[in-house]
Amino acid sequence: MDRITLTGVTAVGHHGVFDFERREGQPFVVDAVLHLDFAKAAESDDVRDTAHYGEVAQRITEWISGEPLNLIEALAVRIADSLLSEFRLEAVDITVHKPQAPIEVPFGDVAVSVHRARNDARLDTAGQDNRERPAQGEAA
């Protein structure tokens, strides 16, 4: 499977279990590995036949800066499920970094990672079953 790797997508979010995290916000950094077949895009040389990484980055920042969640695990899963439902992807790996997490000992980073594949995805971000939904750009 071919891959697009997008690293370091950064935005301020208000995720966390503590009141001050939700009130003040902090930077979150997301890395995404998009798994898809490049054959059609390579033949057509048309961005519509691949996952437009600029649009993917925009969606990731919308999730980071959107509705606050308690856990970065929840954020990672929501991003992964959203990208699978919105783009022509077979699978996605998402890592969410929280470099300013409120940890009382010195640390370099804290991150969670999830892998989701189209055949594993059960629900999209609106709670709809997406197993039968066509990928972006495909006819219904």
Side-chain angles (χ1 to χ4, degrees), residues 32 88 105:
R88 186 188 307 258
V105 299

Side-chain angles (χ1 to χ4, degrees), residues 78-129:
R78 282 169 174 78
I79 292 170
D81 289 347
S82 172
L83 295 180
L84 273 178
S85 71
E86 296 175 36
F87 295 92
R88 186 188 307 258
L89 304 175
E90 291 303 316
V92 63
D93 298 308
I94 297 294
T95 300
V96 175
H97 302 265
K98 189 174 179 180
Q100 295 179 10
I103 298 174
E104 306 232 353
V105 299
F107 74 102
D109 188 22
V110 63
V112 300
S113 297
V114 298
H115 172 84
R116 294 292 183 269
R118 181 161 299 284
N119 59 353
D120 293 341
R122 301 286 188 273
L123 299 175
D124 69 13
T125 54
Q128 302 298 312
D129 188 335

